[in-house]
C-alpha cells in the first residue's frame, strides 16, 4: 500500500529526532541554573553540551536521510526557494545570543569550549522548517529602521570585528 505522503517514514524519523531535541532543550530550560541539587544539568555544562550535541547529530542525520530520499525521488516534490544561508545563520545567532544573554553572561569565566557552545546554539537553526526560515527572514526584513539600529551584543561584536552583512 502506497503512503499518502512520499517519504513518510523518513519524515517521521526527523520529526521524532526533532521532538527529542526540543524536549531536551525544554528540560534544561526548566531547570534553575542556581539550583544545587545533583540532578541539575547546569552543574555539569560539559555533559549538558554532550547531550545537546548528540541530539543535534540525530536531527542532522535524520534530516540528511530525508534529504537523500527526496533527492532520489521526484524532484518536483520538494522545490525549496533559495535564501542566503549565511545571512540566516547570522540573524539566528543574533536572536539566540540576545535571548540567552543572561545565561551566556553568567558563563563568562567558566571553562567552556566556545566552538561547541556556538555549534549547539546554531544547531537550533537546523530544526527550522523551510516555512519557519522564510517567516524568520521575513520578520527580520519587516523590522522598522529604529528596530534595526538596536544592535544585539552579537551583532555589535561582529561589527566591531568588521563582519558586517550587506544586502545586495
Amino acid at each position: 500500500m502506497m503512503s499518502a505522503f512520499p517519504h513518510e517514514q523518513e519524515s517521521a524519523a526527523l520529526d521524532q529526532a526533532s521532538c527529542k531535541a526540543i524536549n531536551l532543550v525544554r528540560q534544561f530550560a526548566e531547570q534553575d541554573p542556581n539550583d544545587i541539587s545533583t540532578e541539575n544539568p547546569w552543574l555539569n555544562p560539559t555533559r549538558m553540551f554532550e547531550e545537546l550535541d548528540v541530539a543535534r547529530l540525530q536531527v542532522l542525520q535524520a534530516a540528511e536521510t530525508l534529504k537523500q530520499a527526496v533527492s532520489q525521488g521526484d524532484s518536483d516534490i520538494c522545490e525549496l526557494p533559495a535564501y542566503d544561508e549565511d545571512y540566516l545563520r547570522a540573524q539566528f545567532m543574533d536572536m539566540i545570543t540576545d535571548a540567552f544573554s543572561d545565561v551566556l553572561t553568567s558563563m563568562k569565566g567558566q571553562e567552556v569550549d566556545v566552538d561547541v557552545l556556538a555549534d549547539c546554539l546554531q544547531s537550533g537553526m537546523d530544526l527550522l522548517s523551510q516555512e519557519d526560515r522564510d517567516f524568520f527572514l521575513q520578520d527580520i526584513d519587516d523590522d522598522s529602521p529604529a528596530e534595526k539600529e538596536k544592535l544585539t551584543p552579537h551583532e555589535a561584536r561582529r561589527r566591531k570585528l568588521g563582519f558586517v552583512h550587506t544586502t545586495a
Side-chain angles (χ1 to χ4, degrees):
M1 181 175 180
M2 184 72 169
S3 169
F5 176 68
H7 318 297
E8 186 172 349
Q9 185 176 16
E10 293 88 352
S11 181
L14 177 58
D15 185 53
Q16 182 180 13
S18 298
C19 287
K20 183 179 175 184
I22 289 168
N23 288 335
L24 181 64
V25 171
R26 283 186 183 142
Q27 175 188 353
F28 291 154
E30 290 171 358
Q31 290 287 327
D32 179 8
N34 299 316
D35 181 13
I36 58 171
S37 70
T38 57
E39 296 86 30
N40 188 349
W42 293 97
L43 295 178
N44 188 351
T46 302
R47 181 170 172 236
M48 191 169 70
F49 290 141
E50 288 170 355
E51 288 181 46
L52 288 168
D53 194 43
V54 167
R56 179 187 66 83
L57 290 173
Q58 289 172 343
V59 169
L60 290 175
Q61 182 180 18
E64 184 61 31
T65 302
L66 177 59
K67 182 179 175 183
Q68 288 175 358
V70 169
S71 69
Q72 292 172 358
D74 187 356
S75 61
D76 294 336
I77 292 174
C78 204
E79 202 56 41
L80 302 177
Y83 59 89
D84 185 352
E85 185 75 25
D86 291 334
Y87 178 67
L88 175 65
R89 188 167 301 280
Q91 293 301 319
F92 183 81
M93 284 301 289
D94 284 346
M95 179 191 71
I96 292 296
T97 54
D98 189 42
F100 292 101
S101 62
D102 55 336
V103 174
L104 294 171
T105 300
S106 72
M107 292 175 72
K108 281 188 178 177
Q110 295 181 14
E111 235 179 89
V112 175
D113 186 336
V114 176
D115 291 332
V116 172
L117 176 61
D119 198 29
C120 288
L121 293 173
Q122 286 181 356
S123 69
M125 190 179 87
D126 298 328
L127 301 175
L128 295 176
S129 67
Q130 182 62 40
E131 182 179 334
D132 290 337
R133 289 172 184 231
D134 293 340
F135 181 74
F136 179 74
L137 287 174
Q138 180 182 0
D139 189 45
I140 295 295
D141 292 339
D142 288 346
D143 284 346
S144 67
E147 285 289 319
K148 288 183 182 179
E149 287 306 310
K150 293 180 187 176
L151 299 179
T152 63
H154 177 72
E155 184 63 25
R157 177 82 172 142
R158 288 182 66 232
R159 286 190 182 187
K160 183 178 177 182
L161 294 172
F163 299 109
V164 180
H165 178 76
T166 57
T167 54

